[in-house]
Amino acid sequence: MINEMPKIALGTWLVRNSKIIDEIIPAALNNGYKHIDTAQIYFNEELIGNTLEKLNIKREDYWITSKVWPLNFKYHTYQSIEKSLERLKTNYIDAMLLHSIENDQNIITAYKELMRAREDGLVRNIGVSNFDVRELKMIKEHTGEYPKYNQIIASVKQRLFEVEDFCKEKGITLMGYSSIRPYYDPNPYYEGGSLNKNEKSIIDEMANKHNVSPAMILQRYVSQNEYVILPKSKNVERVISNFKIDDVALSDEEMKKLNEFVTFDNNDWRVMLKKQKSKNNEQPKDDEKYKIGLRLSKEADEIFKKKYNISVK
């Protein structure tokens, strides 16, 4: 039985092809990984469940993290967890997170449902994703506990220092996503841009020095800042090489240099959250959308597949 969240997870965002899932999950689990990260909105829980069912690996030998999408917060948190269990073909999920902020009442309602699911044994640990300090304190005030995890953006360009410091102070495990995007592809959802030519050349120099890829430097930076990392690739060889993160050790000088690249921090995060909150208040979601939820029925699936041009193969 794995009692603590493994520090490296196979990320699966935007991986919705059954053939690729069938390739990368065995490659990962047979080469050191013990942790798979998914979510209801990824539309791949069932693909992951199908692959895991075919493998001769005991359930207690790997960890699954999944996430409840905000449209399920108001009415369907518990039911959506039951659906995730069905899709993943498992009796329990090791860590279930609330995927993003919503209005305060829905957050509290959903978190209490996470607690109920934990009490009933559907999930073993609970947490959140993309939550700021204010939301973390609010959960503590209304439930008596802090979330065990907070999955947030973390890279050499984007560091939420205040959230990071608060989580470390309160013993909330940090999980970092989009760690390599600034080098290869700017993140469309978060400001902060991409690495400039000079910054890329510095990372290239570090990679040459350590005889690894630039992606390994970027991920090691996040790992050394005490995050669980979520490297993602559709390529088997890169999946395997990503697990060798502990073969790299960046010096204090190198870490300090990479810290200088950060252009997006908590101040930018607050502005973004304020805009999102304002938009939600001005244009509240139609209650019928909450009632339909996400990943609860074929009707809900078809609405989102069409809206977001989601294809599952």
Side-chain angles (χ1 to χ4, degrees):
M1 181 66 63
I2 303 173
N3 295 317
E4 294 295 329
M5 178 180 282
K7 299 300 183 183
I8 304 176
L10 176 68
T12 64
W13 179 53
L14 296 182
V15 185
R16 303 191 186 103
N17 182 292
S18 60
K19 183 176 184 295
I20 292 173
I21 293 284
D22 274 344
E23 292 173 350
I24 64 173
I25 287 184
L29 295 179
N30 290 328
N31 286 278
Y33 288 81
K34 302 287 185 182
H35 186 181
I36 300 167
D37 180 83
T38 183
Q40 293 171 355
I41 194 64
Y42 294 177
F43 278 83
N44 63 13
E45 287 176 315
E46 54 268 73
L47 302 181
I48 292 169
N50 291 340
T51 297
L52 290 171
E53 187 178 47
K54 292 182 282 188
L55 299 179
N56 187 28
I57 300 176
K58 294 180 180 179
R59 175 64 184 89
E60 58 266 29
D61 290 340
Y62 58 87
W63 179 290
I64 297 176
T65 295
S66 194
K67 310 172 197 74
V68 178
W69 189 244
L71 274 184
N72 291 328
F73 287 7
K74 188 172 184 178
Y75 298 120
H76 305 298
T77 298
Y78 194 96
Q79 180 190 1
S80 76
I81 294 171
E82 292 178 316
K83 291 289 186 179
S84 288
L85 289 170
E86 289 178 18
R87 290 190 292 267
L88 287 163
K89 293 180 170 59
T90 182
N91 294 323
Y92 66 91
I93 293 172
D94 298 275
M96 200 75 185
L97 317 180
L98 300 183
H99 202 147
S100 184
I101 62 168
E102 241 281 346
N103 72 59
D104 291 355
Q105 184 56 58
N106 288 353
I107 288 173
I108 298 306
T109 297
Y111 195 84
K112 288 180 177 179
E113 287 296 279
L114 284 188
M115 296 173 72
R116 182 163 76 96
R118 182 181 60 192
E119 183 177 347
D120 292 346
L122 277 65
V123 302
R124 298 198 166 177
N125 303 277
I126 59 178
V128 297
S129 179
N130 299 306
F131 276 47
D132 200 2
V133 172
R134 189 193 75 84
E135 285 80 30
L136 296 171
K137 288 181 176 179
M138 180 182 68
I139 288 173
K140 169 69 171 177
E141 178 184 353
H142 287 271
T143 70
E145 68 177 47
Y146 285 113
K148 192 168 183 178
Y149 315 102
N150 191 13
Q151 186 176 127
I152 59 176
I153 193 166
S155 74
V156 296
K157 295 297 287 183
Q158 297 145 319
R159 288 277 300 283
L160 309 183
F161 293 108
E162 186 177 325
V163 176
E164 185 178 305
D165 291 344
F166 183 84
C167 287
K168 289 177 180 178
E169 177 189 342
K170 300 302 181 183
I172 300 170
T173 297
L174 288 158
M175 305 171 70
Y177 66 82
S178 291
S179 300
I180 70 171
R181 290 197 71 152
Y183 187 97
Y184 298 98
D185 180 28
N187 195 313
Y189 305 109
Y190 297 89
E191 298 172 10
S194 58
L195 291 159
N196 61 41
K197 288 183 179 180
N198 181 58
E199 292 166 341
K200 281 188 176 183
S201 67
I202 291 172
I203 289 174
D204 289 340
E205 289 174 10
M206 290 184 187
N208 290 332
K209 174 186 172 183
H210 291 278
N211 195 30
V212 296
S213 68
M216 291 290 278
I217 298 296
L218 295 164
Q219 290 172 137
R220 183 61 187 177
Y221 170 78
V222 176
S223 178
Q224 281 189 213
N225 281 311
E226 301 177 47
Y227 281 76
V228 173
I229 59 171
L230 316 169
K232 184 200 78 173
S233 178
K234 298 178 182 180
N235 178 279
V236 168
E237 290 183 0
R238 284 197 292 273
V239 166
I240 295 171
S241 66
N242 283 338
F243 190 77
K244 299 175 182 178
I245 193 73
D246 286 336
D247 293 348
V248 185
L250 300 177
S251 67
D252 290 343
E253 183 179 347
E254 288 172 322
M255 291 292 288
K256 183 178 179 180
K257 186 64 181 176
L258 294 175
N259 283 339
E260 296 174 1
F261 297 173
V262 174
T263 56
F264 181 96
D265 60 18
N266 248 92
N267 291 328
D268 304 289
W269 181 247
R270 282 197 197 90
V271 170
M272 183 175 293
L273 290 179
K274 187 176 180 180
K275 288 180 180 177
Q276 183 174 341
K277 282 282 187 180
S278 177
K279 184 177 180 181
N280 287 344
N281 289 335
E282 291 171 4
Q283 297 178 319
K285 292 186 178 71
D286 185 335
D287 200 55
E288 287 304 311
K289 293 181 181 178
Y290 284 115
K291 289 178 180 178
I292 292 171
L294 178 80
R295 304 308 319 274
L296 301 177
S297 66
K298 289 183 178 180
E299 178 188 11
D301 282 3
E302 289 307 315
I303 289 173
F304 275 82
K305 284 179 183 178
K306 183 177 181 179
K307 181 177 180 180
Y308 296 105
N309 194 28
I310 291 173
S311 175
V312 181
K313 300 178 182 179

